[in-house]
Amino acid sequence: MTAIEEKPDTAPVPEGHVRLTIDGVEVIAPKGELLIRAAERLGTVIPRFCDHPLLDPAGACRQCLVEVEMGGRPMPKPQASCTITVADGMVVKTQRTSPVADKAQQGVMELLLINHPLDCPICDKGGECPLQNQALAHGRADSRFVEKKRTFPKPIPVSTQVLLDRERCVLCQRCTRFSDQIAGDPFIELLERGAHQQIGIAENKPFQSYFSGNTIQICPVGALTSAAYRFRSRPFDLVSTPSICEHCSSGCAERTDWRRGKVMRKLAGEDPEVNEEWICDKGRFAFRYLTAGDRITRPMVRDAKTGELVETSWTDALRVAAEGLAKARDGKGVGVLAGGRLTVEDAYAYAKFARIALRTNDVDFRARAHSAEELDFLASTVVGTTPETGVTFGAIESAPAVLCVALEPEEEAPIVFLRLRKAARKRGTQVFHIGQWTSPAVTKTIRPYGVDKPLAGSLLACPPGGEAAAVEGLPSHAPDVIEALGGAGAVILVGERAAQVPGLFTAVVKLAETTGARIAWIPRRAGERGALDAGAVPTLLPGGRLVSDATARLEVERVWGLEAGTLPGRPGRDTGAIIAAAAAGQLDGLVVGGVQTDDLPDPVLAEEALDDVGFVVSLELRASAVTARADVVLPVAPSVEKAGSYLNWEGRRREFGTTIESPGSLSDCRVLDTLGVEMDVDLFTQTPQAAAADLARLPAVLRSAAPPVAVAAQAPTLEDGQALLATWRQLLDNGSLQSDEPHLAGTARATVARLSAGTAARLGLNGNPAVTVKTERGSITLPVEHADLPDGVVWLPANSGPATTRRTLGAGHGDVVSVTTENLLTGATTDGGESA
């Protein structure tokens, strides 16, 4: 932002700037700047309620009144400084120098307090309330109004997690503007007129926002409160610690407020380069898992006689784990499933433990559907990129065009979605999506001003599994997209779902080479990007060094203090191959980080592998399907009880300190380091700081891996009653980190199946129907909603409620499934008579 400069009268005014006077001080400010901003940067804070730097001006509260003079003539009455822009020759007097402005502000404050209740002793906003602060600084000591205050029944549940106290509201419209401008959701709006005007739920529009918690934080008067936090604490009871969100790959800045060793709430932190001032509701409310009843706090070892897990000491548990892993290593070997939720330091410890203690490259963080083509893409295009060399949030915002491929941004990376919407709305960025249907994220980014306004992008619909062909066909079928991507600064965003589509990564790389657009990979989980750079994959050592490169191995051996030739030179197995090998008896042991079997490509096979493999060590926070089958369970610390860093999708390091000190809570890197000592190796990862310092000795190298080369799969032929399955995870679903939070779960999107009207008609859907999607493994029955999917396609959420596509169906995105219909009234089931 341009700094305000004090200049003498004779100083020239730069182009695009104006000279004005504020409180007797002559300043030069950029044209179009709001007067309240110019005064703010001069050091004069004008009181306000409705103004917010990331929202369009409203002039609703009138608290920021100032005297304005133009051309020697004063305006007839004080003006709202949050709506008027600076002009050449303007003379402004704020409350600091103008009794008129000061009196006007006091009068407005008096009016705002006419019906405001005396809730301060019990209000959640008490102690951090702008209304309290400004009433003291800019209000009168007494009021002329003695009439009975207006009251309403309260609170009104706007949703399961947002409560509204209407009499506290000063109609600043921050919440309604956020809903309309930032999130694009039908959330809340102004109702009635005049003295009866109030905030309420949008008429005939369901509450469905992933960002509603932001309205609680920006509400200046405590009218909107959190159902989970209401009456739980006061700001002066809390300890506030800066933190980083652990839920997705954006790495949002947060503030964690805690008391007596327990997290009470999380708030959005301010970071203009990443999340600005917003976070999603998952990042704000999903922290109850930290105190879940199934939290593991003591090491456990399986009793040889009873077969039950029993608590034991760390010394005993580490001894048993070391002996079992050493035996398995010297037998058929051990595989390491690290998971995607790790900090950079913890992922590095897993990568180093696998290579040194277990002498294997069988390590992979990808606890989800994956492919060899994806690994080639990550090694050639993603690893080692930084904000200086790759795509950033700012680059998305300033891009002339953005193509989203196999990415549902609102569900998988909510803050990326907000930047896409801001880019479309503020800068006219064209946003294109290659997907299956006009989801809410698609609608709100291609029509940022409303569904009845002109398009700012488009959906390039294709059947699931046909995304590679769609990308390859852009030059002939969508030349306007090719032209837009040829603009300077254009961006292609690729989601992790691309790993399920053969040839898609290859097609995206070729498209980028053709158009000059830059590529960014956006995974769902917070730890995936850091785990890639830390070497927790079967083909890469830390820093993107190829396992197969003898020179790279020699460099790592030197840094790690190993003899030459110690590190294995053959690329290891990926997650799927590790599980298959364990199930087939080709491995004798597994080390499993925070992995949920339901996240894996085949949960049933994964659990069979855990049952059949000889020895399993689980490093876990809570009881799971893995811990139920493990021989040794080692408890590890959640993010609030340890320090470390995440590497977000930009490659930006997001460091955080320990929020809550818990003496018995150990980070993964500390546990693995101690386990390594028991196996006669030293990882030098005793603390996150030590692990980070050790990793820093292996900086990223120039990528030497070849780009992916794969061929798009042929579209399968569908028989009668069959369809292609389109599926991805919703933001709020069955995820283990969302447990014990019913208020948040109440705002999850409906678990429904979606079909096109044509497909539904051929299936004979009528009355109150449900659709049953099935494979040889099982079936899922859900209510039906119509959407603009391609014919012959059915969409299901991947892991919401009863819709667990991987476990129940054994199927993923692009697979063939059978579709039958079931009437919810009769329960009768019929096969579809034509191809669905």
Side-chain angles (χ1 to χ4, degrees), residues 29 34 39 57 73 178 185 194 223 236 339 376 385 390 441 453 551 573 610 717 823:
L34 292 176
R73 299 180 59 185
F178 173 86
D185 293 318
F236 37 80
D376 291 341
T385 55
K453 299 298 190 294
T551 303
R573 300 179 177 98
L610 290 166
T717 301
N823 192 295

Side-chain angles (χ1 to χ4, degrees), residues 671-687:
V671 173
L672 290 170
D673 181 80
T674 310
L675 182 56
V677 171
E678 289 288 331
M679 300 177 70
D680 297 325
V681 298
D682 200 336
L683 303 184
F684 298 102
T685 61
Q686 303 95 326
T687 65

Side-chain angles (χ1 to χ4, degrees), residues 475-787:
S476 56
H477 296 104
D480 58 320
V481 176
I482 295 295
E483 181 180 356
L485 291 176
V491 171
I492 302 172
L493 304 180
V494 187
E496 66 179 36
R497 191 165 72 250
Q500 302 178 60
V501 183
L504 182 51
F505 285 114
T506 303
V508 166
V509 170
K510 290 180 179 177
L511 177 65
E513 292 172 350
T514 301
T515 61
R518 293 186 294 168
I519 301 173
W521 176 63
I522 303 183
R524 284 181 57 253
R525 291 190 173 93
E528 294 212 355
R529 179 56 209 281
L532 174 68
D533 282 38
V537 286
T539 59
L540 296 177
L541 295 167
R545 294 164 176 83
L546 292 173
V547 163
S548 57
D549 185 339
T551 303
R553 292 199 306 275
L554 190 62
E555 179 187 4
V556 174
E557 288 164 346
R558 178 183 57 78
V559 171
W560 284 353
L562 304 175
E563 294 182 4
T566 301
L567 293 177
R570 186 174 67 179
R573 300 179 177 98
D574 62 17
T575 297
I578 290 172
I579 291 171
Q586 298 170 5
L587 285 174
D588 281 343
L590 289 174
V591 175
V592 186
V595 173
Q596 300 294 318
T597 55
D598 281 342
D599 295 336
L600 295 167
D602 191 338
V604 174
L605 179 63
E607 289 168 6
E608 289 176 0
L610 290 166
D611 288 331
D612 296 340
V613 76
F615 191 77
V616 178
V617 175
S618 173
L619 284 74
E620 187 55 272
L621 179 68
R622 297 169 55 197
S624 68
V626 177
T627 62
R629 293 165 169 82
D631 296 281
V632 179
V633 178
L634 303 174
V636 292
S639 59
V640 297
E641 295 177 9
K642 63 184 178 184
S645 64
Y646 293 112
L647 205 62
N648 76 351
W649 65 264
E650 305 168 287
R652 189 188 304 271
R653 190 176 178 87
R654 309 293 286 159
E655 294 186 60
F656 59 92
T658 303
T659 298
I660 299 175
E661 295 284 353
S662 180
S665 190
L666 306 181
S667 61
D668 295 63
C669 63
R670 170 72 180 275
V671 173
L672 290 170
D673 181 80
T674 310
L675 182 56
V677 171
E678 289 288 331
M679 300 177 70
D680 297 325
V681 298
D682 200 336
L683 303 184
F684 298 102
T685 61
Q686 303 95 326
T687 65
Q689 294 78 12
D694 198 48
L695 176 58
R697 299 163 64 201
L698 291 168
V701 297
L702 291 175
R703 292 187 294 268
S704 57
V709 178
V711 179
Q714 295 293 320
T717 301
L718 299 179
E719 299 177 359
D720 289 349
Q722 290 185 333
L724 290 175
L725 176 64
T727 182
W728 51 79
R729 291 187 64 159
Q730 300 189 129
L731 181 69
L732 303 180
D733 61 5
N734 299 336
S736 62
L737 299 189
Q738 301 164 52
S739 62
D740 284 5
E741 187 42 81
H743 303 293
L744 178 64
T747 62
R749 289 177 176 167
T751 303
V752 299
R754 289 185 170 87
L755 300 162
S756 70
T759 300
R762 284 194 294 276
L763 287 170
L765 298 179
N766 49 54
N768 186 18
V771 65
T772 297
V773 180
K774 60 185 181 180
T775 63
E776 293 180 354
R777 176 175 293 183
S779 64
I780 297 172
T781 301
L782 295 175
V784 175
E785 285 188 6
H786 291 174

Side-chain angles (χ1 to χ4, degrees), residues 1 16 28 57 93 99 118 147 161 300 353 469 529 567 581 603 625 725 827:
M1 191 175 289
I28 293 175
K93 296 179 181 179
L118 297 177
E147 291 77 15
Q161 62 192 21
M300 293 186 288
F353 182 81
R529 179 56 209 281
L567 293 177
L725 176 64

Side-chain angles (χ1 to χ4, degrees), residues 128-346:
E128 55 184 7
C129 177
L131 182 63
Q132 284 183 330
N133 298 338
Q134 292 177 184
L136 179 63
H138 305 286
R140 293 179 176 143
D142 53 14
S143 173
R144 292 168 291 174
F145 295 93
V146 296
E147 291 77 15
K148 183 178 179 181
K149 292 179 181 287
R150 182 179 61 186
T151 60
F152 292 103
K154 66 179 184 180
I156 299 296
V158 177
S159 73
T160 58
Q161 62 192 21
V162 180
L163 304 178
L164 170 64
D165 290 53
R166 287 174 289 176
E167 68 264 39
R168 296 179 186 172
C169 179
V170 296
L171 299 177
C172 69
Q173 301 177 31
R174 279 189 175 187
C175 58
T176 59
R177 283 180 290 149
F178 173 86
S179 175
D180 177 56
Q181 298 165 18
I182 307 299
D185 293 318
F187 177 21
I188 47 181
E189 61 185 22
L190 288 171
L191 308 177
E192 307 296 342
R193 298 292 295 275
H196 299 288
Q197 192 170 56
Q198 58 186 276
I199 295 295
I201 302 173
E203 187 177 3
N204 298 323
K205 294 179 180 178
F207 170 81
Q208 203 172 67
S209 177
Y210 286 155
F211 306 97
S212 62
N214 293 287
T215 64
I216 299 171
Q217 186 168 344
I218 64 175
C219 177
V221 296
L224 294 172
T225 57
S226 163
Y229 177 72
R230 188 177 175 92
F231 302 143
R232 298 296 196 278
S233 185
R234 306 305 298 271
F236 37 80
D237 294 333
L238 302 172
V239 179
S240 298
T241 306
S243 56
I244 299 297
C245 181
E246 72 271 33
H247 286 292
C248 86
S249 63
S250 292
C252 296
E254 291 184 333
R255 191 186 95 191
T256 299
D257 289 351
W258 57 281
R259 181 182 65 179
R260 300 172 189 166
K262 182 179 180 180
V263 174
M264 303 302 295
R265 66 176 179 179
K266 289 192 174 186
L267 301 176
E270 185 175 351
D271 190 334
E273 294 183 323
V274 179
N275 57 305
E276 298 184 304
E277 296 181 27
W278 318 124
I279 55 174
C280 71
D281 286 352
K282 186 176 179 179
R284 185 180 298 273
F285 297 117
F287 57 82
R288 302 291 182 192
Y289 71 91
L290 301 168
T291 53
D294 59 353
R295 170 87 182 265
I296 302 170
T297 58
R298 295 273 298 169
M300 293 186 288
V301 172
R302 193 166 300 279
D303 187 277
K305 295 180 180 179
T306 65
E308 299 294 324
L309 286 171
V310 294
E311 290 188 354
T312 186
S313 66
W314 275 101
T315 301
D316 186 51
L318 290 168
R319 177 185 58 79
V320 174
E323 290 175 356
L325 290 177
K327 181 179 178 181
R329 175 197 64 197
D330 297 337
K332 297 177 182 178
V334 181
V336 180
L337 303 178
R341 299 191 180 103
L342 302 171
T343 63
V344 175
E345 295 76 14
D346 290 342

Side-chain angles (χ1 to χ4, degrees), residues 105-126:
Q105 291 177 6
Q106 291 185 24
V108 170
M109 179 63 71
E110 187 178 22
L111 290 171
L112 291 177
L113 295 176
I114 290 175
N115 285 306
H116 194 83
L118 297 177
D119 282 353
C120 298
I122 62 166
C123 178
D124 287 345
K125 205 75 172 181

Side-chain angles (χ1 to χ4, degrees), residues 275-489:
N275 57 305
E276 298 184 304
E277 296 181 27
W278 318 124
I279 55 174
C280 71
D281 286 352
K282 186 176 179 179
R284 185 180 298 273
F285 297 117
F287 57 82
R288 302 291 182 192
Y289 71 91
L290 301 168
T291 53
D294 59 353
R295 170 87 182 265
I296 302 170
T297 58
R298 295 273 298 169
M300 293 186 288
V301 172
R302 193 166 300 279
D303 187 277
K305 295 180 180 179
T306 65
E308 299 294 324
L309 286 171
V310 294
E311 290 188 354
T312 186
S313 66
W314 275 101
T315 301
D316 186 51
L318 290 168
R319 177 185 58 79
V320 174
E323 290 175 356
L325 290 177
K327 181 179 178 181
R329 175 197 64 197
D330 297 337
K332 297 177 182 178
V334 181
V336 180
L337 303 178
R341 299 191 180 103
L342 302 171
T343 63
V344 175
E345 295 76 14
D346 290 342
Y348 176 67
Y350 277 96
K352 192 172 183 180
F353 182 81
R355 269 70 184 230
I356 298 179
L358 301 178
R359 304 167 193 165
T360 182
N361 285 318
D362 289 353
V363 54
D364 201 346
F365 69 83
R366 296 174 298 167
R368 53 171 174 78
H370 53 279
S371 68
E373 181 190 10
E374 178 191 39
L375 201 50
D376 291 341
F377 168 79
L378 298 178
S380 64
T381 309
V382 176
V383 67
T385 55
T386 66
E388 290 72 35
T389 61
V391 178
T392 63
F393 282 100
I396 290 175
E397 186 177 334
S398 61
V402 178
L403 174 65
C404 297
V405 182
L407 173 68
E408 190 64 22
E410 192 176 19
E411 306 284 5
E412 300 178 51
I415 303 304
V416 173
F417 160 76
L418 291 186
R419 281 299 179 104
L420 284 170
R421 178 170 166 79
K422 181 181 180 182
R425 190 173 179 274
K426 292 284 190 179
R427 300 178 181 267
T429 298
Q430 293 180 276
V431 182
F432 304 101
H433 297 263
I434 292 182
Q436 279 66 58
W437 61 288
T438 307
S439 64
V442 172
T443 299
K444 289 180 282 191
T445 51
I446 68 174
R447 293 186 182 274
Y449 294 101
V451 294
D452 56 342
K453 299 298 190 294
L455 287 167
S458 63
L459 169 69
L460 308 171
C462 66
E467 290 88 347
V471 172
E472 292 171 350
L474 286 177
S476 56
H477 296 104
D480 58 320
V481 176
I482 295 295
E483 181 180 356
L485 291 176

